[in-house]
Each structure stands twice: as C-alpha cells, then as structure tokens.
Amino acid sequence: MSGHSKWATTKHKKAVIDARRAKSFAKLIKNIEVAAKLGGADLSGNPTLVDAIQKAKKTSVPNDNIDRAVKRGAGLSGDAVDYHTIMYEGYGPNGVALLIECLTDNKNRAAAEVRTAMSRNGGTMADPGSVAYNFSRKGVIRVSSEGGVTEDDILAAVLDAGAEDVSLQGGTFEIITDTANLVQVRTALQTAGIDYESADSEFVPNLAVEIEAETARKVFKLIEALEDSDDVQNVFSNFDLSDAVLAELEQE
C-alpha cells in the first residue's frame, strides 16, 4: 500500500508544475460532472460532489470551471453528460499488478488506448478478476503535514469516527477507512479543524510488492502513458518503494 501512496504523493507534488496540468484539470472536471449527475448539485446532500470539488480546488481548477461542471453534470445547463466506468486489469514490468479505471463516453476508444499504452510500455492485459482480487475498495483521505498537524492530532480526530489506519507517506498523512465511513471520518477531521487534501474511494492493494529503482522507472513510465489517455481516470497498483529507492527517484 505504501508504494501506491508514495506514488500518489509524488504525483500530487508534481501536479502544480506538471506540463500535463490541462489533462489533470479535465479529469477533475469529469469527476465533478459525474458526482453532480449521480447526486445532484446540492452540496449538503452530495458528499461525493463535495470531495470532487475540494480536490479540484486543491489543484487550482478555476471556480468558474467548477461551477459550470456542476451545472452540466446536474443537467442545469442543457448539456448532456454520459460517462461509463470501465475497469481494466493488467500487469506491468516484473509482474506489478495494475487496476486501470476509465471514465469514458466511448468504450471502444478507451479500450484501444489502454491496450496501446500497455503494449508499448512493457505491460500486459489480464483477464477480469485475475488482478482485482488483490485489491480492496477503501476510503483514502490525505492530509498535508506541512501545516504543523501531527499524527496524534489526526488519530485523536478520526479513531472514533471509523478510521482503520493512519500513516505518514513522505509529507502526507494517509488515513484509510472503510468506504462506508469515508464521509464521517472526513467530517471528523473538519470538526477538529484539520484541512484535508483529498478524500476518495480507491483500490488499495491487500499485499504490496517492493520493487527496485529500475523497475520503478519502468512502472512509472507505463502509468504515465496510461494516464495520458483522457479516458483513464485512475491507475491503482500494488508496488512498494523503500525510502532509499524513493529518494533516488526523486533526485532524477
């Protein structure tokens, strides 16, 4: 799990200066549209939309874009939103497991782009179910440690709300919950005055596999190729990175 977390943290740190910011914006907007379509535009009754908007704001998506996405998703602007969620399973270099979550309005295009990215970057597609059993759907909340918040502060706020685990990954605390407890744990943080970076439902590996730096470079290249597709919303993996390997990669 920690490798996945460290990769997510590294991606978050890169996001502000990443040349692919436009793609990141588009995917965050898509999340907002889907959340608004499923639960409506009223934030008080749609915690998924609250989290989608929070994540977009943390990544500096303009408020006007967010407002238009909410209206478009909720059907208030006359535009139709029709996305389908598709999960693909596969293996990366050295057998690293991958779950590829697509949110698309064109299933054929999404399938073609995923297969192309996999075949060109050392990945192989897998049969449905052959990878997914290694993962569990969990609520994942990330809190920056830069504001002076401590692990004790977070534990005091979330343990009684249903949090399962709290760990420090780089400069980010990661809180794992059952998906059913995600909203109440997030609310407990807010009640305690602790700001959170993101709160999402993610696929977390049941058993992580530690990889060395060379394999990590290949896995990162594959994940980046997959995420270059507008249809790929998330890539989940089971790799783990030691602090030494992570430090080596961050210097590149």
Side-chain angles (χ1 to χ4, degrees), residues 78-244:
D79 298 327
V81 173
D82 187 23
Y83 294 119
H84 304 277
T85 299
I86 311 170
M87 295 296 299
Y88 295 102
E89 302 177 35
Y91 295 99
N94 284 20
V96 168
L98 298 171
L99 281 183
I100 304 150
E101 184 178 34
C102 294
L103 193 58
T104 181
D105 57 1
N106 187 321
K107 294 180 180 180
N108 291 333
R109 181 187 64 217
E113 291 187 356
V114 168
R115 291 181 184 279
T116 298
M118 291 286 278
S119 63
R120 290 181 177 176
N121 295 278
T124 56
M125 302 300 293
D127 294 332
S130 59
V131 172
Y133 79 93
N134 286 310
F135 293 79
S136 298
R137 193 81 168 178
K138 293 288 185 181
V140 181
I141 304 173
R142 293 186 175 89
V143 176
S144 174
S145 63
E146 293 178 359
V149 64
T150 67
E151 185 170 347
D152 287 342
D153 294 333
I154 294 175
L155 287 170
V158 304
L159 277 184
D160 290 340
E164 296 178 358
D165 184 53
V166 177
S167 60
L168 181 62
Q169 307 290 345
T172 301
F173 290 106
E174 183 179 87
I175 305 160
I176 303 295
T177 79
D178 187 275
T179 53
N181 296 330
L182 178 60
V183 173
Q184 64 191 48
V185 172
R186 185 203 71 189
T187 302
L189 286 172
Q190 293 173 313
T191 301
I194 299 174
D195 189 26
Y196 65 95
E197 295 289 323
S198 64
D200 295 298
S201 180
E202 300 182 5
F203 285 95
V204 176
N206 300 319
L207 181 64
V209 177
E210 188 167 317
I211 58 176
E212 35 72 40
E214 187 55 37
T215 297
R217 293 184 187 96
K218 294 175 182 178
V219 171
F220 289 177
K221 182 181 177 183
L222 171 56
I223 291 175
E224 288 171 352
L226 287 164
E227 291 183 336
D228 272 339
S229 168
D230 290 337
D231 291 322
V232 174
Q233 201 71 0
N234 294 294
V235 180
F236 305 103
S237 185
N238 70 335
F239 68 84
D240 192 10
L241 300 176
S242 68
D243 291 339

Side-chain angles (χ1 to χ4, degrees), residues 12 16 53-61 195-198:
H12 177 76
V16 177
I53 291 175
Q54 166 88 348
K55 192 171 184 180
K57 287 184 174 181
K58 290 290 185 180
T59 317
S60 302
V61 176
D195 189 26
Y196 65 95
E197 295 289 323
S198 64

Side-chain angles (χ1 to χ4, degrees), residues 58-69:
K58 290 290 185 180
T59 317
S60 302
V61 176
N63 287 332
D64 286 347
N65 296 44
I66 292 173
D67 292 341
R68 285 196 296 269

